[in-house]
């Protein structure tokens, strides 16, 4: 069944009234299937929606023996995004809808509106982050090129240690293409020349004009086929050959900070929050529900 009606606002997502409507949406987007073949007799099977199972029950004759009933059965959720889910499908659909449209803090609102436990909310956040990461990795693209300008900047995300100015957290290298707004965010272990250059070469095409700060790790960009213009943020001046001030990446950092939980992020979840930001930046609000569940269907294909 082809998916349809995928441009949905948050209000339209919440208008789905029951599990049947949510299930129709999942079938349309390939998250689950409503038909398959029997694993024993290879006959066609239809999904029994009430039990969410495929059950055969056909009688098979082999040679002169009396017909035997095929007892093949398998869960319609096996291998899918809902593989170990005990929640109603409508609840999960609404959970994802909230996640795709709301910024943190949202935990309490989601928990109370959907009557979920704290642990259930946390677990489903984790599942959704895996989909965000997969989607961004599958659709990763190289930006820049001849005649195009990309601003890059590295920043550390975390919190200050005690009263000192030392920040404990994660280094992130980000870049944004001025003309199109396309961007990347990559978590890096350190900001030395070898690490940052590897990311730049992977994410930005040679010949691109790169605007960076005066961090010494970028001194080698000219040798790698890039045009490098620098901005000194301390004194707020720009390379004398241009009149551009690097501000797009700074604005992006503010958006990323506002999209993360207020009270910090566990180390294992950090990449997931970056992926969530990139996913939401890439897709307009009304298209997010479609692209999310398409990615979920690809990441967790049914295993009947």
């Amino acid at each position: 069944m082809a998916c349809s009606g995928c441009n949905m606002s948050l209000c339209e997502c919440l208008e789905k009234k029951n599990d049947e409507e949510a299930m129709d949406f999942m079938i349309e987007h390939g998250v689950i299937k409503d038909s398959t073949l029997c694993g024993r007799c290879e006959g066609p099977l239809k999904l029994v929606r009430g039990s969410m199972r495929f059950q055969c029950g056909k009688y098979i004759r082999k040679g002169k023996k009396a017909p035997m009933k095929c007892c093949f059965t398998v869960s319609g959720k096996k291998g899918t995004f809902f593989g170990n889910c005990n929640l109603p499908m409508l609840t999960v659909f609404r959970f994802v809808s909230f996640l795709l449209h709301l910024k943190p803090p949202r935990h309490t609102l989601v928990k109370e509106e959907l009557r979920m436990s704290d642990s259930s909310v946390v677990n489903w956040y984790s599942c959704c982050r895996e989909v965000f990461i997969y989607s961004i990795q599958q659709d990763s693209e190289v930006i820049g090129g001849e005649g195009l300008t990309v601003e890059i900047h590295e920043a550390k995300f975390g919190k200050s240690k005690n009263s000192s100015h030392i920040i404990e957290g994660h280094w992130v290298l980000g870049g944004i293409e001025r003309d199109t707004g396309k961007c990347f965010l990559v978590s890096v272990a350190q900001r030395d020349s070898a690490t940052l250059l590897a990311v730049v070469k992977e994410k930005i095409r040679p010949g691109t004009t790169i605007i960076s700060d005066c961090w010494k790790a970028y001194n080698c960009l000219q040798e790698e086929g890039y045009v490098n213009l620098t901005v000194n943020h301390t004194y707020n001046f720009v390379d004398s050959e241009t009149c551009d001030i690097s501000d797009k990446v700074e604005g992006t950092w503010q958006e990323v900070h506002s999209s993360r939980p207020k009270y910090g992020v566990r180390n294992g979840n950090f990449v997931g929050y970056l992926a969530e930001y990139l996913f939401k930046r890439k897709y307009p609000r009304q298209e997010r529900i479609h692209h999310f569940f398409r990615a979920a269907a690809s990441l967790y294909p049914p295993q009947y």
Side-chain angles (χ1 to χ4, degrees), residues 8-294:
M8 301 173 65
S9 66
L10 176 58
C11 290
E12 290 170 327
C13 290
L14 299 180
E15 285 177 356
K16 295 210 176 278
K17 301 178 178 63
N18 51 52
D19 275 0
E20 282 291 316
E21 293 185 7
M23 193 177 303
D24 286 339
F25 183 92
M26 299 305 163
I27 292 173
E28 288 175 354
H29 288 75
V31 182
I32 59 175
K33 294 182 179 180
D34 62 349
S35 62
T36 188
L37 295 179
C38 176
R40 292 183 180 174
C41 68
E42 299 185 353
L45 298 180
K46 294 292 290 182
L47 179 67
V48 180
R49 293 197 174 197
S51 61
M52 276 301 295
R53 298 191 70 83
F54 292 101
Q55 296 174 310
C56 187
K58 298 183 181 69
Y59 282 89
I60 307 170
R61 180 184 293 275
K62 292 186 178 181
K64 297 181 178 180
K65 296 182 179 180
M68 296 183 63
K69 186 176 182 180
C70 179
C71 298
F72 176 82
T73 179
V74 64
S75 171
K77 298 178 181 179
K78 185 178 179 182
T80 72
F81 183 64
F82 298 93
N84 297 314
C85 176
N86 294 318
L87 292 175
M89 198 165 290
L90 180 62
T91 299
V92 176
F93 179 83
R94 288 177 172 173
F95 176 91
V96 173
S97 301
F98 278 129
L99 182 63
L100 293 176
H101 290 86
L102 302 180
K103 291 183 178 181
R106 60 199 169 195
H107 181 100
T108 301
L109 183 147
V110 172
K111 181 182 73 171
E112 293 178 353
E113 288 293 325
L114 300 180
R115 296 179 174 85
M116 297 171 64
S117 66
D118 284 309
S119 61
S120 183
V121 170
V122 170
N123 289 338
W124 275 103
Y125 277 157
S126 179
C127 290
C128 292
R129 282 193 294 269
E130 291 180 2
V131 177
F132 288 135
I133 293 171
Y134 175 81
S135 176
I136 294 303
Q137 289 176 341
Q138 293 298 110
D139 298 332
S140 177
E141 59 182 335
V142 182
I143 64 175
E146 295 285 347
L148 296 175
T149 299
V150 173
E151 298 182 22
I152 63 172
H153 185 56
E154 76 288 340
K156 198 168 190 179
F157 289 76
K159 56 184 179 180
S160 298
K161 184 178 180 181
N162 300 325
S163 59
S164 67
H165 295 291
I166 300 175
I167 297 178
E168 290 184 335
H170 304 263
W171 280 108
V172 175
L173 176 62
I176 181 168
E177 189 175 292
R178 281 196 162 186
D179 292 342
T180 65
K182 296 177 181 179
C183 77
F184 65 84
L185 296 170
V186 178
S187 179
V188 293
Q190 52 193 359
R191 57 172 187 154
D192 62 282
S193 180
T195 302
L196 298 184
L197 179 60
V199 176
V200 169
K201 293 175 71 173
E202 179 186 353
K203 296 294 185 180
I204 304 177
R205 295 184 182 91
T208 303
T209 297
I210 296 179
I211 298 179
S212 67
D213 58 24
C214 296
W215 178 239
K216 60 184 180 181
Y218 299 127
N219 291 343
C220 61
L221 290 179
Q222 298 277 12
E223 302 171 3
E224 298 294 334
Y226 300 98
V227 179
N228 186 210
L229 306 178
T230 58
V231 177
N232 191 317
H233 294 287
T234 303
Y235 300 103
N236 196 32
F237 70 81
V238 297
D239 189 291
S240 59
E241 297 182 5
T242 75
C243 296
D244 291 324
I245 297 178
S246 179
D247 57 358
K248 288 186 176 294
V249 170
E250 297 293 347
T252 300
W253 291 141
Q254 295 177 8
E255 293 177 4
V256 176
H257 275 293
S258 67
S259 68
R260 295 165 61 246
K262 184 177 180 181
Y263 298 106
V265 175
R266 293 181 179 178
N267 289 338
N269 298 337
F270 183 74
V271 174
Y273 283 107
L274 291 182
E276 178 183 343
Y277 169 79
L278 291 172
F279 181 91
K280 291 180 176 180
R281 182 186 178 99
K282 182 174 183 178
Y283 298 115
R285 286 179 179 271
Q286 293 188 338
E287 295 180 13
R288 290 174 186 170
I289 196 78
H290 164 78
H291 290 288
F292 179 90
F293 281 110
R294 278 299 199 190

